[in-house]
Amino acid sequence: MKFRSDPSTIRGSIAPVVTPFTAEGAVDHDSLAGLIRFQLESGSHGISLGGSTGEPSAQSVAERIAAMRTAVGVIDDRVPFLPGTGSHKLDETLELTAAAQELGADAALVITPYYARPTQEALYQWYATVAREFPDLPIVAYNVPSRTAVDIDPETVRRLFTDFENFVGVKETTKDFEHFSRVLYACGRSLLVWSGIELLCLPLLALGGAGFVSAVANLAPTAVARMYELWEAGDPESMDAARDLHYRLHPLVDLLFVETNPAPAKWVLAQQGRIASPHVRPPLTTPTEAGLTKIRGLLAEGADLTAPIGA
């Protein structure tokens, strides 16, 4: 909760951890706690839970709140905590956001309501409702049109940023890099923008982004965090080293999407012994044999980044 009063401190690599399940399909809180400890020990600058990588739509509200409680206990205010609290239903979104606030989250990451394909005015009203309901909690929109079939226009973000003091930023998970620039142009660079697209994480920093919420941090947390730190150092040698890490991460980025995220990442984490099972809930499935062949090859290419690296 200590970062809540100044959301501008929520920067860098915010790791969107997977939600581990047992082989029988229950939420595995022991593995979840272990993953979060791994992220903290590896240098991640913040923790997110319940975004797309966390399979939130396959969980009940009670399960998501219980997972938040586990995360808060492990994080213990050492880094910012940004849980995903959105749903396609407003009542669930408000319930999850209320729980996040009560548990001590530093901000709430609220996905655009999916399937319904609301208009821009409807999106404005949706986020306005959440912002009014929780005036003391920073609200971050989560824009991921590939999963929700709706895209938040820069003008809608500008209206929310202007009208609500606690609407502080947006996680942009769109491959349209022009969109990133137009959002920052419309709102000014005091808006906090994080990239959710792995290969746009480093480029966003050049535009003044706050950092990234990159699923590849599940596999290479030290490398992803170090990429941010090197870029922020600002000298030519450090920035060139950041670019080097960006390119070296390519195989692990490709690995994540051999089949639907987070199934490949969970398989790798299970092989590493970091979670007890690679189980994903329906409608997802664990990787096919053809997928595993590709995953193994890409893992071998990026293996040097899956362990902590030196400065």
Side-chain angles (χ1 to χ4, degrees), residues 120 151-160 172 178-187 191:
Q120 293 302 309
D151 197 1
I152 308 178
D153 285 351
E155 175 60 20
T156 304
V157 177
R158 187 202 63 78
R159 288 178 65 195
L160 291 162
E172 287 287 1
E178 183 176 304
H179 183 94
F180 287 71
S181 187
R182 292 193 180 280
V183 167
L184 283 162
Y185 178 74
C187 299
L191 179 78

Side-chain angles (χ1 to χ4, degrees), residues 165-177:
E165 187 175 343
N166 62 323
F167 184 92
V168 300
V170 57
K171 174 188 173 184
E172 287 287 1
T173 307
T174 170
K175 293 184 178 181
D176 178 3
F177 195 53

